[in-house]
């Protein structure tokens, strides 16, 4: 059975009393250790690691990674702004966005870097007449993701300049006099290490086509194992062959490329737990299921409903009042009036209920959902059923708990409404 990643019963009690549930709790020590591991990624001629901040953009997390020396991969002009507010210098931020908004030109003039992600973006950038070097994001024609929805390479993905448009992109950059200094590929979250290596080698072929390129950015997508049967990517294992490819490339071409990577999941996933309370228990009889209803759900964690993603779930009871509790198959559901608000779907199949073997839960038990640091707080069904956004808390290095995002108030939920 699953156990708590980093919280104790006493801390859960303290969280319930001081901050309430549901609350996301991050662990500073894990965040910092992950940052160090990422910076140890094998490389031949230098490495710069960026945090893909869309996985969890809260300011306190950004500040920790800034302190650890990471840069930022931003997905929108708004993320650029959040990173700057959290203390990042413009030169540490790079934007790869599906949407190149007009506002972004001012950030470029201030030194934020850009990877142009489509032919249209090349035209648009050229019109701005900004004399800064650029990166180009390509779709190498191969993708890999944990699910179809997290696969962002290959013919069914709209991300990046399609590989067959290489010559066209090159021609445009020459015509417009753009200096291409970076090639970027990112093929998906939870990608297969074999495919990742293959794409690294394909990306070097893209670099060959642009003699001015000095940096290859291979994106993120490193797998973490949330469940026992999942396999995590070993950064050394995937990094070492790529380091050799860079060395070979240098022998052939005399070009010593620096490497950039931009993990999100790898840095965040295991560093956060969602603390909820069991608020009701129902059963649909011997032919049905025992349901644990918790006071969080798709309003905090959408991944199970969206992808059939699996997260460890731990039922925690008061150890001083411990009675014998059996372990049973139970279905854990969220608080929304929506049958899709399911925390225990079948793997990869959000439609199917997959009862989990858990301690028999009762009202007021804690239900802790583990490894929810990446794409949970940042990608939820916020305010659905008019539940306010959950609080975020950090367990600091010294063990104390501190708030980093207050629970949303009712007022904040409705403040932009206007009656005409
Ligand atoms: C989302 C994203 C990442 C991070 O992906 P993870 O799977 O979280 O590591 C990196 N680069 C780009 C361009 C992205 O869009």
């Amino acid at each position: 059975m699953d156990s708590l990643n980093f919280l104790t019963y006493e801390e859960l009690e303290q969280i319930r009393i001081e901050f309430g549930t549901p609350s996301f709790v991050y662990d500073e020590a894990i965040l910092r250790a992950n940052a160090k591991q990422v910076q140890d990624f094998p490389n031949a001629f230098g490495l710069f690691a960026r945090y893909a901040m869309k996985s969890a953009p809260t300011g306190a997390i950004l500040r920790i990674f800034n302190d650890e020396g990471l840069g930022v991969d931003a997905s929108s002009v708004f993320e650029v702004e959040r990173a700057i507010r959290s203390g990042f210098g413009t030169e540490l931020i790079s934007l790869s966005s599906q949407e190149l908004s007009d506002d972004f030109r001012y950030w470029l003039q201030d030194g934020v870097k850009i990877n142009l992600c489509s032919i249209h973006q090349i035209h648009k950038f050229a019109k701005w007449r900004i004399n800064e070097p650029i990166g180009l994001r390509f779709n190498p024609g191969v993708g890999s993701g944990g699910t179809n929805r997290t696969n962002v390479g290959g013919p069914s993905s709209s991300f990046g300049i399609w590989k067959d448009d290489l010559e066209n992109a090159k021609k445009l950059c020459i015509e417009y006099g753009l200096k291409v200094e970076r090639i970027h590929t990112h093929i998906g979250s939870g990608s297969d290490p074999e495919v990742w290596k293959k794409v690294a080698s394909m990306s070097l072929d893209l670099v060959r086509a642009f003699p001015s390129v000095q940096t290859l950015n291979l994106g993120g997508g490193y797998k973490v194992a949330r469940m026992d049967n999942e396999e995590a990517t070993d950064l050394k294992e995937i990094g070492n062959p790529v380091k050799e490819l860079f060395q070979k490339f240098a022998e052939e071409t005399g070009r010593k490329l620096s490497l950039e990577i931009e993990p999100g999941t790898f840095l965040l996933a295991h560093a956060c737990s969602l603390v909820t309370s069991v608020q009701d228990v129902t059963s649909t009889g011997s032919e049905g299921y025992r349901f644990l209803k918790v006071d969080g759900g798709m309003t905090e964690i959408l991944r199970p409903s969206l992808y059939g993603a699996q997260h460890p779930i731990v039922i925690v009871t008061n150890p001083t009042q411990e009675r014998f509790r059996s372990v049973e198959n139970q279905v854990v559901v969220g608080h929304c009036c929506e049958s899709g608000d399911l925390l225990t779907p079948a793997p990869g199949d959000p439609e199917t209920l997959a009862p989990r073997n858990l301690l028999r839960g009762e009202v007021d038990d804690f239900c802790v959902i583990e490894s929810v640091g990446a794409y949970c707080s940042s990608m939820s069904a916020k305010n659905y059923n008019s539940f306010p956004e959950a609080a975020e808390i950090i367990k600091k290095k010294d063990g104390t708990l501190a708030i980093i995002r207050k629970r949303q108030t009712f007022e904040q939920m409705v403040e932009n409404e206007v009656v005409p």
Side-chain angles (χ1 to χ4, degrees):
M1 228 179 358
D2 296 310
S3 54
L4 290 171
N5 274 357
F6 58 86
L7 288 168
T8 63
Y9 178 77
E10 289 67 32
E11 286 164 344
L12 293 177
E13 274 289 323
Q14 190 189 342
I15 286 160
R16 179 179 277 168
I17 292 164
E18 237 177 272
F19 309 103
T21 58
S23 286
F24 289 96
V25 189
Y26 297 87
D27 187 82
E28 182 180 356
I30 299 179
L31 290 170
R32 288 189 186 273
N34 289 350
K36 293 198 165 72
Q37 219 184 317
V38 160
Q39 283 165 314
D40 267 349
F41 197 90
N43 65 90
F45 310 109
L47 169 80
F48 189 55
R50 301 179 178 280
Y51 168 44
M53 66 177 280
K54 73 179 186 293
S55 56
T58 313
I61 297 166
L62 291 169
R63 279 170 197 278
I64 288 170
F65 287 151
N66 189 2
D67 185 50
E68 290 291 335
L70 299 182
V72 160
D73 160 52
S75 301
S76 74
V77 68
F78 301 102
E79 284 197 341
V80 170
E81 200 140 345
R82 276 178 106 160
I84 286 167
R85 278 199 198 194
S86 303
F88 278 94
T90 48
E91 74 288 356
L92 296 173
I93 303 168
S94 152
L95 178 89
S96 303
S97 183
Q98 288 281 79
E99 180 181 317
L100 186 56
S101 63
D102 291 322
D103 299 349
F104 190 66
R105 58 189 294 183
Y106 304 108
W107 289 122
L108 281 169
Q109 283 162 348
D110 276 349
V112 173
K113 296 188 169 45
I114 189 161
N115 295 314
L116 299 173
C117 296
S118 69
I119 295 290
H120 169 71
Q121 289 192 2
I122 297 178
H123 287 300
K124 188 159 182 173
F125 177 87
K127 286 208 188 87
W128 290 343
R129 303 199 175 285
I130 294 167
N131 201 18
E132 295 293 332
I134 56 161
L136 294 177
R137 175 174 182 176
F138 280 96
N139 177 343
V142 179
S144 179
T147 72
N148 272 342
R149 291 190 181 171
T150 53
N151 182 349
V152 293
S156 3
S157 158
S158 70
F159 297 89
I161 300 165
W162 180 238
K163 63 174 173 59
D164 298 341
D165 289 331
L166 167 69
E167 285 308 319
N168 187 19
K170 205 171 141 180
K171 195 175 111 243
L172 285 175
C173 289
I174 292 169
E175 274 173 25
Y176 285 132
L178 306 181
K179 182 174 183 246
V180 184
E181 66 169 7
R182 245 167 310 117
I183 295 294
H184 177 282
T185 53
H186 168 72
I187 56 162
S189 291
S191 53
D192 180 338
E194 282 308 313
V195 180
W196 199 84
K197 277 182 233 170
K198 186 167 140 205
V199 168
S201 134
M202 293 166 82
S203 304
L204 280 169
D205 290 337
L206 294 168
V207 173
R208 258 178 250 274
F210 293 90
S212 54
V213 165
Q214 294 148 0
T215 303
L216 176 58
N217 183 322
L218 289 171
Y222 316 108
K223 267 194 217 181
V224 297
R226 295 184 183 85
M227 309 298 285
D228 287 344
N229 61 354
E230 293 174 352
E231 210 180 322
T233 300
D234 180 337
L235 295 190
K236 291 266 177 328
E237 188 189 319
I238 62 162
N240 279 324
V242 173
K243 176 179 168 180
E244 284 168 24
L245 288 176
F246 271 55
Q247 281 160 340
K248 269 211 338 246
F249 185 87
E251 284 162 24
E252 273 171 41
T253 64
R255 297 163 65 188
K256 293 183 173 173
L257 300 174
S258 66
L259 172 67
E260 282 189 8
I261 53 171
E262 31 184 49
T265 304
F266 191 91
L267 285 162
L268 252 299
H270 295 316
C272 179
S273 306
L274 182 76
V275 179
T276 71
S277 303
V278 176
Q279 46 100 8
D280 206 341
V281 180
T282 59
S283 165
T284 47
S286 54
E287 303 291 294
Y289 305 94
R290 185 169 200 266
F291 291 96
L292 302 182
K293 303 184 183 183
V294 301
D295 64 355
M298 65 196 289
T299 44
E300 285 69 37
I301 307 176
L302 199 52
R303 303 180 72 255
S305 309
L306 204 55
Y307 317 130
Q310 304 291 300
H311 288 269
I313 297 177
V314 191
I315 303 296
V316 185
T317 66
N318 184 337
T320 61
Q321 293 168 16
E322 192 71 86
R323 294 165 289 127
F324 174 75
R325 289 273 190 109
S326 56
V327 171
E328 280 178 38
N329 273 328
Q330 295 160 96
V331 172
V332 181
V333 297
H335 53 178
C336 289
C337 296
E338 169 85 30
S339 54
D341 191 2
L342 174 64
L343 290 160
T344 53
D349 176 9
E351 310 272 306
T352 302
L353 275 61
R356 199 69 82 80
N357 217 6
L358 302 169
L359 210 61
R360 186 182 166 89
E362 302 291 355
V363 171
D364 286 341
D365 284 348
F366 290 104
C367 175
V368 181
I369 303 147
E370 296 286 11
S371 301
V372 299
Y375 309 105
C376 291
S377 150
S378 65
M379 197 185 72
S380 56
K382 211 163 273 182
N383 291 157
Y384 186 42
N385 284 212
S386 298
F387 285 113
E389 218 179 330
E392 294 189 314
I393 294 156
I394 198 157
K395 180 173 165 178
K396 296 205 283 186
K397 268 188 307 186
D398 63 9
T400 57
L401 295 166
I403 190 105
I404 59 172
R405 187 182 76 182
K406 293 186 212 165
R407 192 175 304 283
Q408 190 185 28
T409 63
F410 181 80
E411 258 332 294
Q412 289 168 335
M413 199 158 34
V414 296
E415 71 185 354
N416 287 336
E417 290 183 18
V418 177
V419 180

